[in-house]
Amino acid sequence: MSWWHRIRRIISGGGRESASFAAALLGVLVLAGAALGQGISRTSVAVSDGLTWLGDDQRGEVVQVNPMSGKPQTRLQISGPDSQLEIAQSDGRLIVLNRRTGEITVVDLATLLASGRRQAPPGATSKVLVANGMVFVVDRASGTVHTADPLTLADVGQTWQAGQPLADAVVDERGVLWLVDHGGTLRSLDWSDDEQRFQERSQRAVTGAGPRTVLVPHDQGVTLIGLDGGVVVRDGTGEDVASSTDRSDAEVIAAQSSPLDLVPASVPSSSAVVLVVGRDVLRVDVGAMGCPKPGRPAVFRDKVYVPCKGSGKVVVLDRGGRRGGDDVRTSGGSDPELVFDDGRLFVNVPGSSTGVLVDSDGATRSLTIRSPELPVKDPDRSPPPSVPPPPPPNPNEPVKPPRHPGVGNGPTTEVPPAPSSAPASTPPSSSGAAAPPAPAGVTVREKSRSASALVVTVSWSAVSSTDPVVGYTVAGSGSFSGGSVSAQVSGTSTDLSVPCTGSTFCTSGRLDVTVRASTATQAGAAGMAAFTVTAPNTPPPNTPPPNTPPPNTP
């Protein structure tokens, strides 16, 4: 699925396809976990506005970077520290998944405010896909697909059920949903707006497909790679093929999308990359190229880019599996990740202050990602009050003469009124004051616990700011029902009540807490803390000793 090609076609073609831009672009939201290739993809940003959103896991932020200037422009505080953020942007909205907690957040980019949230299973079982204007939340463990509203993420229509676990699920550029289950059945589904449910387009049993099978979507149709059974199948493309390859009972990490005639997938445990080139299947030993643990590959300008975990670089391959260019070197942070944006390839390194931009000609240059001087915005802050427009002029109202006419036929002037003794109100932030700093000394302690809720007390130190602080926003996130709780207070302490029902959070969870001070016009940086929930200490019941009768006395 070549999203940059599709965007250009949408822009130039207009019409009905432009109206489905959100559905097409959000289709790349394939959630890929760190080890099993599951979750919302970090490599799915594909927009034509010249800006790119990247994740900063260490701080729980998403950062908007201008590739042309090489500098960050906006920071949004999405969650607490030590997150696993995966992002995508479409149709004026930003979608962020915290893989560690499973919370999905939709942010309206016009206001930078959260418009909807949904809780997905944390860990490596979920995928989020979008087609035909709807969001599809796939739970592979239960074999179900929930349809959700793209603005609020609330459930819509019927839930589709496979009857067994799913190995993978993707969506092609035409909006068709493709799924393969553990038994090797490959299905394609269409969402019906009229009936509010899925309709099955095709069903095919693929011998050799199994639990480790992966799918790679194209403009139309998919390529199925089932190395556990040594099978490669292309279906629904108009140029379908079936090939065989060496078997490998190992993890496979496939590209999130690719052209029809060049499909890559990595096998990290074997230091290998599998390339499906036309009808041929090639196996490339990237370990010999200094890449012992390849990550999720991507196709860019007819070359395959392979991020190397733990090696600080990206290897470039041509269609024949040979070196296609110099390695792209990275520095600092964690493993490199690949992001498409506006005809360029961006190498993001979560935790690093810089990234690398690959231009269309293969040239690279460094970009700044982190900027501590850039203020952080809170998507949960209260929206600014709306000011009604002035009433239209009344044509019947007589024109009033000027209060201080000038001399002769010259221009008139108005004399300013005399200064009043009453104090004038100062517009908030009229001097462009900086946002409040992060509150210091954030602590979290358990206050009470019941079968239904865990209550914690959050405390922090007061913040000094150029503009007066009007209050504090406290938010907690974790793998509990609902995924997040929040409160707004004027003091420096508050209680958060976290639900216990529906999850194991209250026995073995972790609560990430952020505290931000707010002035009348803006929210400040977040002070953060984490609280580990342990099982309650239940003492053994106080059982009285048995009532033994006294011995008989003579």
Side-chain angles (χ1 to χ4, degrees), residues 282-375:
L282 310 178
R283 192 179 184 92
V284 183
D285 180 12
V286 292
M289 302 179 184
C291 187
K293 192 173 182 181
R296 185 179 302 279
V299 180
F300 181 65
R301 300 296 183 183
D302 207 38
K303 294 182 179 179
V304 177
Y305 287 74
V306 183
C308 302
K309 298 181 178 180
S311 301
K313 68 178 183 179
V314 177
V315 170
V316 185
L317 305 176
D318 63 14
R319 298 173 62 89
R322 299 173 294 271
R323 283 191 177 273
D326 295 336
D327 296 344
V328 180
R329 296 287 178 175
T330 61
S331 61
S334 58
D335 297 325
E337 303 165 340
L338 306 180
V339 178
F340 294 117
D341 180 26
D342 212 13
R344 293 178 290 260
L345 180 66
F346 193 93
V347 182
N348 181 36
V349 185
S352 175
S353 59
T354 60
V356 179
L357 183 66
V358 183
D359 287 317
S360 58
D361 60 357
T364 62
R365 55 190 173 94
S366 179
L367 298 177
T368 301
I369 299 174
R370 288 184 175 177
S371 177
E373 296 79 17
L374 190 65

Side-chain angles (χ1 to χ4, degrees), residues 79-80 83-86 96-104 477:
S79 60
S83 300
Q84 297 176 15
L85 301 182
E86 300 167 346
V96 183
L97 169 75
N98 186 347
R99 167 52 52 198
R100 193 176 54 74
T101 64
E103 183 182 44
I104 307 170
S477 63

Side-chain angles (χ1 to χ4, degrees), residues 2 66 146 200 331 349 366 429 448 454 486:
S2 304
N66 186 333
H146 292 265
E200 188 169 292
S331 61
V349 185
S366 179
S429 290
S448 64
L454 170 71
S486 61

Side-chain angles (χ1 to χ4, degrees), residues 2 52 68 71 104 135 181 238 265 345 362 436-437 455 475 487-488 497 538 544 553:
S2 304
T52 302
M68 298 306 295
K71 297 179 180 179
I104 307 170
V135 178
D181 59 34
L345 180 66
V455 179
Q488 292 185 340
S497 179
T538 306
T553 55

Side-chain angles (χ1 to χ4, degrees), residues 247-251 266-273 283-287 291-294:
R247 295 190 178 191
S248 175
D249 188 19
E251 173 198 6
S266 294
V267 186
S269 62
S270 301
S271 303
V273 171
R283 192 179 184 92
V284 183
D285 180 12
V286 292
C291 187
K293 192 173 182 181

Side-chain angles (χ1 to χ4, degrees), residues 10-90:
I10 291 173
I11 295 172
S12 61
R16 182 176 179 181
E17 187 162 4
S18 296
S20 63
F21 177 80
L25 181 58
L26 280 174
V28 296
L29 287 179
V30 182
L31 299 191
L36 298 179
Q38 303 172 353
I40 285 183
S41 164
R42 299 170 185 265
T43 66
S44 58
V45 178
V47 294
S48 57
D49 62 356
L51 302 174
T52 302
W53 286 92
L54 303 172
D56 185 346
D57 293 352
Q58 182 177 346
R59 293 172 172 80
E61 300 175 4
V62 292
V63 182
Q64 187 186 51
V65 178
N66 186 333
M68 298 306 295
S69 67
K71 297 179 180 179
Q73 295 194 171
T74 307
R75 296 168 62 192
L76 280 180
Q77 187 73 56
I78 295 297
S79 60
D82 191 25
S83 300
Q84 297 176 15
L85 301 182
E86 300 167 346
I87 67 178
Q89 177 184 341
S90 171

